[in-house]
Amino acid sequence: MVKKLLLLAVAALLMVPVLPLSVGAQDDLPKIGFLPGVVDPFYQVMELGINQAAADLGIEVVTQYPDDWNVTLQTPLLDSFVARGDLDYIIIAPVDKEQMIAPLQAAVDAGIKIITVDTFLGDGDYVNGPVTFPLSYIGSDNLEGGRIAGEYLAEKLGGEGKVYVQNTNVGVSTTEQRGQGFIEAIEAHPGMELVGMDYNLDDANTATEQTAAVLQREPELAAIFGVNVFSAIGAGNAVNNAGLGGAVDVVAFDATQYAIEQLRAGTVSLVIAQKPFDMGYLAMEFALADWRGVTSLPLRVPTGYAVITADNVDDPEIARFIYQVP
Ligand code: T6T
């Protein structure tokens, strides 16, 4: 009899419509804001990583791009993210390592958690440095990236030659470190000479004009390091306009279609690809992990590089890191 009753109870239970396991799950997920530095292929690929993770994890994400690389444009967008009142995390590439501290502290004070991607705040050491509120800093090791460029050119030029750097803005953690790493590598070779470093304010036209002036002034210039998308475009354009493609070597940071075209044409000889998709995807996973109670997230995740040359550009294992923007 007991057995029969049990069977009846089980049968009754089975007739109850089965509720989907995910009921309520949406309410139990964080809402995230993504604030890149500027519209460029690097951040557009990062957004692909963000969106892929959002789809995989079922998380809602809101994205806003500043029109230019500028504190006065990024800050109001950040403030508007805070004012919405519905965001739990902000994934941001701060456009200035000092000036974005206060606006981000205000976001933290409003109860929002911060993850920095690509660029960092303070000195990037979120354990012992001056800024410790972000959950993590996910991005390239930019000192290393600059060293890769400098060591490559020193070796290619046999330890002798004049070089020039196209940089973006003072106060940007990434590009500042790329310049620094490059100089360190060059200074290890007494025969190498840095003839200058200009700041183009993240504008390819300015980079072209500045580089053209240096090409005129320095007829013996051997190579140029363009530290990001716009710097490398300007360097490449100026070299091509002067008819010096192949004679004055260009090393391009960021694997844009332009950089790869110029690599194939012989104006650029090395392209340093970052992994923006990984940065975006991981940042989303970190936010969810924190939301779920994970307390041991690494405060620093270097995402690595793919170094592209004319010899390996068609290797699928390398070519997958070229920035593909739909
Ligand atoms: O090189 C990237 C990024 O890493 C840097 O912080 C700013 O410039 C880019 O967005 C490329 O334009």
Side-chain angles (χ1 to χ4, degrees):
M1 179 65 182
V2 174
K3 210 171 169 186
K4 202 170 174 185
L5 279 175
L6 263 177
L7 280 175
L8 277 173
V10 170
L13 273 177
L14 286 177
M15 291 185 63
V16 172
V18 180
L19 290 173
L21 280 176
S22 61
V23 162
Q26 290 305 319
D27 298 337
D28 189 28
L29 285 172
K31 192 163 172 183
I32 297 179
F34 174 48
L35 190 39
V38 75
V39 182
D40 70 18
F42 168 83
Y43 288 117
Q44 286 168 315
V45 172
M46 189 184 292
E47 189 187 359
L48 294 179
I50 293 268
N51 290 344
Q52 185 63 57
D56 293 351
L57 304 172
I59 295 179
E60 191 178 339
V61 62
V62 186
T63 297
Q64 288 271 4
Y65 278 87
D67 288 335
D68 281 311
W69 187 279
N70 203 316
V71 171
T72 55
L73 293 178
Q74 194 178 44
T75 303
L77 292 178
L78 173 62
D79 293 346
S80 72
F81 270 3
V82 176
R84 295 170 58 110
D86 63 344
L87 298 179
D88 303 293
Y89 294 82
I90 292 177
I91 297 171
I92 182 169
V95 295
D96 189 285
K97 62 185 184 170
E98 301 300 334
Q99 295 181 66
M100 291 309 295
I101 296 174
L104 280 162
Q105 180 67 61
V108 172
D109 294 344
I112 300 173
K113 293 195 178 180
I114 305 299
I115 296 174
T116 66
V117 279
D118 176 42
T119 49
F120 59 74
L121 293 173
D123 64 4
D125 178 353
Y126 295 159
V127 185
N128 301 308
V131 178
T132 55
F133 61 73
L135 290 182
S136 190
Y137 162 38
I138 304 172
S140 307
D141 177 340
N142 290 289
L143 267 177
E144 179 59 16
R147 280 190 208 116
I148 291 171
E151 277 159 17
Y152 163 80
L153 283 178
E155 192 181 329
K156 187 165 185 223
L157 299 171
E160 282 190 13
K162 294 186 175 187
V163 292
Y164 163 70
V165 178
Q166 253 304 315
N167 210 322
T168 60
N169 299 272
V170 176
V172 180
S173 65
T174 47
T175 47
E176 199 171 87
Q177 287 195 329
R178 288 171 205 165
Q180 193 186 330
F182 183 81
I183 291 171
E184 281 172 22
I186 292 297
E187 282 179 350
H189 300 267
M192 299 288 296
E193 185 191 342
L194 180 69
V195 300
M197 172 145 71
D198 281 323
Y199 293 88
N200 55 52
L201 308 181
D202 228 26
D203 182 87
N205 292 331
T206 306
T208 307
E209 284 164 20
Q210 291 171 337
T211 307
V214 174
L215 287 171
Q216 286 244 322
R217 198 175 71 216
E218 300 284 348
E220 288 172 12
L221 189 72
I224 305 169
F225 174 38
V227 306
N228 82 334
V229 168
F230 305 104
S231 313
I233 290 176
N237 283 346
V239 166
N240 287 335
N241 293 344
L244 291 170
V248 176
D249 204 352
V250 177
V251 170
F253 214 93
D254 288 311
T256 57
Q257 298 297 335
Y258 173 89
I260 298 302
E261 273 164 33
Q262 294 303 312
L263 180 73
R264 293 191 191 282
T267 298
V268 167
S269 71
L270 194 80
V271 178
I272 302 173
Q274 306 189 72
K275 299 186 180 168
F277 184 94
D278 294 16
M279 295 176 202
Y281 198 99
L282 280 176
M284 292 288 285
E285 287 196 313
F286 272 32
L288 183 59
D290 178 78
W291 183 255
R292 293 284 187 237
V294 173
T295 59
S296 49
L297 288 170
L299 283 125
R300 171 74 176 110
V301 182
T303 41
Y305 295 110
V307 179
I308 310 178
T309 63
D311 291 339
N312 68 13
V313 63
D314 293 316
D315 173 351
E317 281 307 308
I318 297 290
R320 61 195 283 244
F321 294 109
I322 297 170
Y323 305 170
Q324 307 280 1
V325 182

